[in-house]
Amino acid sequence: MPTAETLEKFIARVESNFHAEALAEFYTEDSTMQENQSPPRAGLAANIARERATLARASAVRSQCVRPAFVQGDHVAIRWIFEFDWLDGSSSRIEEIAWQRWSGERIASEQFFYDPAQMAPKKPAP
């Protein structure tokens, strides 16, 4: 179970848009991440690489934790809002729930729940 201090540090890191760094600092080496009902991605290195690839497609990212985060034993639920300005001039606003299982002070598994329609980039109005 994460301490309140560790959870706050994790949230602050993500809200500061240090997403890949947050993975390196707060996830286990064998951690898994899963998008909705897709098969989980295994391994910290693979998940960091995927995060970096996503962020490389954006000119700006804004990340917000919608409080409160809920903790029950080793499980944490966080509601996030992410706004992406993509390099092609489009944008996306994604609201999701992250369901995490912590192993001590690190995240061992995480599943994201969101509407996939949010992922479609929106072009700016003419």
Side-chain angles (χ1 to χ4, degrees):
M1 172 169 70
T3 63
E5 181 180 357
T6 297
L7 184 57
E8 287 304 317
K9 284 180 182 177
F10 169 72
I11 291 169
R13 201 73 164 130
V14 174
E15 286 186 323
S16 297
N17 296 315
F18 291 106
H19 297 254
E21 294 83 355
L23 272 80
E25 293 171 28
F26 294 97
Y27 289 68
T28 63
E29 284 296 321
D30 60 346
S31 59
T32 61
M33 299 178 94
Q34 183 176 0
E35 309 290 328
N36 289 318
Q37 301 303 312
S38 297
R41 297 181 306 275
L44 181 58
N47 286 317
I48 289 173
R50 185 171 192 273
E51 192 72 19
R52 286 191 174 136
T54 298
L55 295 172
R57 296 180 13 240
S59 61
V61 180
R62 290 166 299 284
S63 308
Q64 176 191 4
C65 171
V66 180
R67 304 234 180 225
F70 294 97
V71 180
Q72 179 66 46
D74 290 337
H75 290 89
V76 174
I78 303 174
R79 181 178 166 199
W80 293 107
I81 295 175
F82 299 107
E83 295 177 318
F84 294 90
D85 295 334
W86 302 110
L87 294 175
D88 68 359
S90 65
S91 63
S92 298
R93 183 180 186 278
I94 298 152
E95 187 169 344
E96 70 180 24
I97 300 294
W99 176 247
Q100 303 168 335
R101 183 179 55 79
W102 287 67
S103 178
E105 294 291 296
R106 291 190 170 263
I107 300 165
S109 65
E110 185 168 41
Q111 185 173 5
F112 305 105
F113 296 93
Y114 57 87
D115 178 358
Q118 297 176 104
M119 303 301 276
K122 292 160 186 62
K123 293 287 184 185

